[in-house]
Amino acid sequence: MLDEASRKIFCNPLEHAVSPEDATEDPPRVNARGDRHQILGLLRRLDKSGRLFLCPPGEVRMRYRAGLFSLLKNLESDRLILDCRPANALEPQICNWVQTMGAISPLLDIKLQQGCNLIAGGEDLRDYYYYYRVSDSRAKRNSIAFCLTYAEAKTFDSFPSHVPASSHYIPCLRTLAMGDVNAVEIGQESHLKLCLLEGLQLHQFVTLRGKLPRGLWAAGVIIDDFIVLQQIPKSFSGIPLSSRICDRMVQRYASVGLVAHDKKRFRQLTSAKFWGIHIDGERGLLFPQIERSLPIAFITSQVCRLGYADRKLLEVLSGAWVSMMQCRRRCMCLMQHVFYEIQQFPYKVVFQLSKAVIAELWTLVLLAPVMMTDLRAQGRFSSKAYPGTLNLLGQLNFTEQRS
């Protein structure tokens, strides 16, 4: 599933990392968030699922261990993040397959034909990173800034009884870590390689820097998400190609031990939500999910009313608005003063917003409902087609008229 460069770093990250003695800067300080009882409970859950590795302190880079924290995933669960900044600083970052990640920008070039609807099918892999089997080297690379006593360590199934006893043991995450500098590269490459094994080709995918694929359908992968978009006649009543492709991918996932999330599976939807956007395939509209845009607009309006902010808050808000503007890229011209203001103050300093920034933020709030693209809009094209200037989703015929 991995090319040679990725495979070497995946299997033996310690061999390809800079030696701690050669590091030019001290590692950042990290810690495992939570009290000892909570952390032990988490380690026991990892242990029961075979995702914990224990070793003596002498086998890991003690100053370069990782912290632990969580981010909100949904109302029922959190997402575990390994704060790998110390280890990341020693390792080379590979950025080849991340360029194949799906993006919203190419989708704006869709020209929905008359008499057709746009449908979507998709799959989401459950706990994608946690299904990776990793070497001892990578597990030690994922050492956690936490120590277990001998008595505590002996109660774990992963206790290394074959090595000489130690007074303390270091817990390590025995899987691909969310927070690893190369986790996205490895996850994206593996998923896309599965798609290629199923018969799909690279030119059929929506990518970060690529144009929209030609044809009536296009696929996209963002780490653990797989999407297929297809134009079909409104009168179509069979099983569309997009659904058949998704069904084949489910079988491919099962063949390598991956589990597709049944509750997040969808087929032949004319109203689909994925990648932070909502596509209405009947009306031909592409816009940000209201579950994201409404809270962002509300928080921005409250900041405007307050008239004060700090650098981090403005960075978060501007990033959220840039994400929404991917559905209407011309709106990017609305943001100017907010970027200038961000650069004028250090972190952790609350400052009064200028009138220009407040006006700019209010403009974003007011225009949020129209940050969308009409995929049925009929533009005026020249009757003369130049190679490379038109790359649309759909079968379009261009006739060159001679003057």
Side-chain angles (χ1 to χ4, degrees):
M1 298 298 172
L2 300 175
D3 58 29
E4 185 176 359
S6 301
R7 184 168 58 252
K8 287 180 178 179
I9 291 179
F10 176 71
C11 295
N12 300 296
L14 298 180
E15 292 183 8
H16 295 85
V18 175
S19 172
E21 292 75 18
D22 297 331
T24 58
E25 297 180 358
D26 291 334
R29 296 182 60 181
V30 298
N31 58 76
R33 305 288 181 87
D35 59 39
R36 190 170 187 83
H37 176 74
Q38 292 172 327
I39 297 173
L40 284 172
L42 171 63
L43 295 179
R44 294 194 186 282
R45 294 191 64 179
L46 292 173
D47 183 56
K48 293 299 181 183
S49 61
R51 298 182 177 97
L52 187 68
F53 180 87
L54 300 180
C55 64
E59 296 185 13
V60 302
R61 302 168 298 186
M62 291 295 287
R63 295 181 64 216
Y64 290 85
R65 291 179 295 165
L68 278 177
F69 65 93
S70 64
L71 294 176
L72 179 67
K73 184 176 182 180
N74 52 49
L75 294 178
E76 299 177 353
S77 60
D78 293 331
R79 192 186 305 275
L80 178 65
I81 307 293
L82 206 64
D83 188 355
C84 297
R85 288 177 296 158
N88 290 345
L90 300 177
E91 298 178 7
Q93 184 176 9
I94 44 179
C95 299
N96 299 320
W97 290 85
V98 292
Q99 304 301 324
T100 66
M101 291 177 65
I104 300 171
S105 299
L107 302 182
L108 306 186
D109 290 333
I110 293 175
K111 294 299 180 287
L112 197 49
Q113 299 179 5
Q114 275 191 326
C116 290
N117 286 334
L118 186 66
I119 62 170
E123 291 291 336
D124 181 275
L125 293 174
R126 183 192 296 269
D127 299 328
Y128 181 43
Y129 285 170
Y130 292 143
Y131 281 90
Y132 278 79
R133 297 178 181 177
V134 303
S135 63
D136 289 354
S137 174
R138 176 155 290 277
K140 293 175 182 178
R141 182 259 183 218
N142 294 337
S143 58
I144 300 170
F146 189 79
C147 283
L148 296 171
T149 64
Y150 174 81
E152 290 171 333
K154 200 172 181 180
T155 63
F156 287 84
D157 295 338
S158 53
F159 178 74
S161 56
H162 59 283
V163 301
S166 173
S167 60
H168 292 84
Y169 289 84
I170 305 301
C172 308
L173 186 64
R174 189 163 202 153
T175 185
L176 188 60
M178 188 174 296
D180 186 325
V181 67
N182 289 311
V184 172
E185 171 77 9
I186 292 168
Q188 180 70 14
E189 179 180 356
S190 301
H191 196 166
L192 203 60
K193 289 285 183 68
L194 285 175
C195 297
L196 299 181
L197 288 174
E198 197 53 44
L200 302 180
Q201 300 180 27
L202 276 177
H203 68 80
Q204 296 168 328
F205 284 84
V206 174
T207 60
L208 278 172
R209 298 184 179 180
K211 296 294 184 180
L212 189 71
R214 295 180 183 272
L216 291 172
W217 66 276
V221 169
I222 296 184
I223 310 177
D224 57 351
D225 290 328
F226 176 76
I227 302 295
V228 182
L229 298 174
Q230 182 184 6
Q231 287 194 49
I232 60 170
K234 293 181 179 179
S235 59
F236 185 84
S237 59
I239 300 176
L241 176 63
S242 59
S243 296
R244 297 199 299 270
I245 292 175
C246 290
D247 291 341
R248 283 161 41 198
M249 286 306 301
V250 173
Q251 297 175 5
R252 178 63 67 174
Y253 297 147
S255 70
V256 295
L258 294 173
V259 178
H261 205 304
D262 294 339
K263 293 183 179 180
K264 294 185 179 181
R265 178 175 299 149
F266 59 92
R267 298 286 188 273
Q268 206 169 341
L269 293 185
T270 54
S271 180
K273 297 179 180 180
F274 57 91
W275 300 352
I277 63 172
H278 185 171
I279 289 185
D280 186 331
E282 292 184 352
R283 294 189 296 167
L285 297 178
L286 185 155
F287 49 93
Q289 292 182 21
I290 194 168
E291 295 88 345
R292 298 179 66 234
S293 59
L294 193 58
I296 292 169
F298 174 76
I299 293 172
T300 303
S301 68
Q302 296 304 301
V303 171
C304 291
R305 288 192 176 98
L306 182 62
Y308 290 85
D310 65 3
R311 179 169 178 167
K312 190 64 178 180
L313 177 57
L314 280 188
E315 286 179 348
V316 172
L317 284 179
S318 59
W321 282 107
V322 168
S323 174
M324 289 171 55
M325 289 174 185
Q326 299 307 304
C327 297
R328 188 68 177 179
R329 293 180 66 87
R330 291 182 179 180
C331 291
M332 294 288 290
C333 68
L334 299 174
M335 298 184 69
Q336 175 184 350
H337 297 288
V338 64
F339 293 127
Y340 175 79
E341 196 116 316
I342 286 174
Q343 301 299 320
Q344 302 307 304
F345 298 92
Y347 289 104
K348 299 182 180 180
V349 173
V350 177
F351 53 87
Q352 186 174 9
L353 298 176
S354 66
K355 293 182 179 180
V357 169
I358 293 177
E360 201 166 85
L361 293 177
W362 273 122
T363 302
L364 298 178
V365 173
L366 294 174
L367 293 181
V370 296
M371 289 182 183
M372 62 176 65
T373 295
D374 185 356
L375 306 180
R376 292 194 184 276
Q378 300 296 316
R380 295 182 178 180
F381 299 104
S382 169
S383 59
K384 187 173 184 178
Y386 296 91
T389 59
L390 297 174
N391 193 4
L392 310 176
L393 178 61
Q395 303 294 340
L396 301 179
N397 297 318
F398 297 99
T399 303
E400 180 174 346
Q401 298 181 353
R402 297 181 178 177
S403 57

